[in-house]
Amino acid sequence: MKHHHRLVAVAALAILALAGCGGSASGDLASFKAPDGWRGGGIGGYSMWISPDAKNGSGEVLMLMRLPYRSGSHQDLSMATSQYQHAKVLQRKTIDICGKQPANYVEMAADQKTGKHENVQLVSTRYNDTVYFAMYARDAGTPANPAANTAIRSLCLKH
């Protein structure tokens, strides 16, 4: 199995573990856009895109999830670390997106269960009873894609 297939498999498992029910993950967001040329699709409350060079082993994946908010539940971005071994949180902070919408940001270095090292960035925000969760994962050493970085910070509701 090629490395990018492993990344996609782990990403899909993470989505299935975290996804709630509901419509398209990006259908009610005004500004979310995957990078040009990335292949993707969605089921229920999540969507996933893969970079066009994934076939060359770059292993970039972008995911968007729409989850029902549950009061008192642990919907922290660190829940994604359970999908990896040796996940090390490099940065955790509150950021503003879409003007003054508060969001949580986490950046981590992690190893897939195959031992492959990745850089992962996660952003989540809550609108009423819905949490939007975006994740950008790439092989360590692969430069960050500016459009993917913009996408995970573009969780703005349509008005």
Side-chain angles (χ1 to χ4, degrees), residues 3 21 27-28 30 37 45 51 58 60 63 69 100 108 137 149 159:
H3 291 302
C21 49
D28 47 358
S51 69
S58 74
E60 290 180 278
M63 292 176 287
Y69 175 74
K100 294 191 181 234
M108 64 183 185
N149 277 328
H159 295 306

Side-chain angles (χ1 to χ4, degrees), residues 79-139:
M79 65 187 171
T81 62
S82 66
Q83 302 303 315
Y84 294 96
Q85 296 182 116
H86 309 92
K88 178 181 179 186
V89 173
L90 303 173
Q91 190 177 96
R92 177 189 303 264
K93 62 185 178 179
T94 300
I95 61 173
D96 286 334
I97 60 172
C98 313
K100 294 191 181 234
Q101 173 67 24
N104 296 308
Y105 174 84
V106 172
E107 186 174 334
M108 64 183 185
D111 294 330
Q112 288 187 12
K113 300 201 190 282
T114 62
K116 187 174 178 213
H117 192 68
E118 294 178 357
N119 294 318
V120 182
Q121 295 168 277
L122 307 119
V123 175
S124 73
T125 192
R126 176 180 163 210
Y127 293 101
N128 300 316
D129 63 348
T130 303
V131 175
Y132 293 87
F133 181 92
M135 180 170 136
Y136 171 42
R138 65 187 188 282
D139 293 350

